[in-house]
Amino acid sequence: MRNILLVALTVVMGFMVACDDHDVLPPYNTPAKIFQVDSLFHYKDNISSKGDTLKFRIVGHVSDTTVKYPISVTLKAVDSTTQVQYAGNYYKTIAVKYDTSDYYKTKMIRFTDTGTVYMTTPALPVKTKLRSTATFAYGLNLSSQLGTTALTVKNNALTQ
């Protein structure tokens, strides 16, 4: 009986020595980008003094091949000098078209909006210059996997 107890104790001690715990974590590898907005620009840079609609053109890339998650955008337009906000808009989901242009370079699927992203401005004084900012969100993102998600278009001159 004593020998069995000694063998069992030896086996248990052997497992305890074999299961050595380590406090050192492996190095962190940054995951590949899954979402990137490449460009944001207006169809027209001039707005009228009666109020107008700013139409945006958006181009970006996404690495999710299911392309089923929505892209949302928050827009705002402020006076370039006074920083007073004149307009804003939020789109929970924007309509986009996907294609594989430049896929061999980026290994990501390109998307372009279908002309549905716009923001209405009120009547503004002549020579007002606006700065428009857009912040994007993607349905399948982690903070460490995002590329550029906020872009700004500057100096939309108001003409008469």
Side-chain angles (χ1 to χ4, degrees), residues 18-32:
C19 297
D20 187 19
D21 289 334
H22 297 283
D23 291 338
V24 180
L25 296 173
Y28 176 73
N29 293 327
T30 304

Side-chain angles (χ1 to χ4, degrees), residues 29-96:
N29 293 327
T30 304
K33 285 189 288 188
I34 61 168
F35 182 72
Q36 170 88 23
V37 182
D38 300 322
S39 66
L40 169 74
F41 56 92
H42 294 115
Y43 287 117
K44 286 183 166 182
D45 282 338
N46 293 332
I47 58 176
S48 76
S49 59
K50 300 174 207 160
D52 206 347
T53 299
L54 300 174
K55 292 185 180 180
F56 295 90
R57 182 85 172 133
I58 300 161
V59 178
H61 287 84
V62 63
S63 66
D64 176 26
T65 55
T66 64
V67 294
K68 67 180 183 179
Y69 295 95
I71 297 170
S72 62
V73 62
T74 304
L75 302 166
K76 96 175 167 179
V78 298
D79 186 309
S80 293
T81 307
T82 64
Q83 305 303 314
V84 172
Q85 182 172 342
Y86 287 119
N89 210 347
Y90 170 72
Y91 291 90
K92 184 176 179 182
T93 302
I94 60 172
V96 293

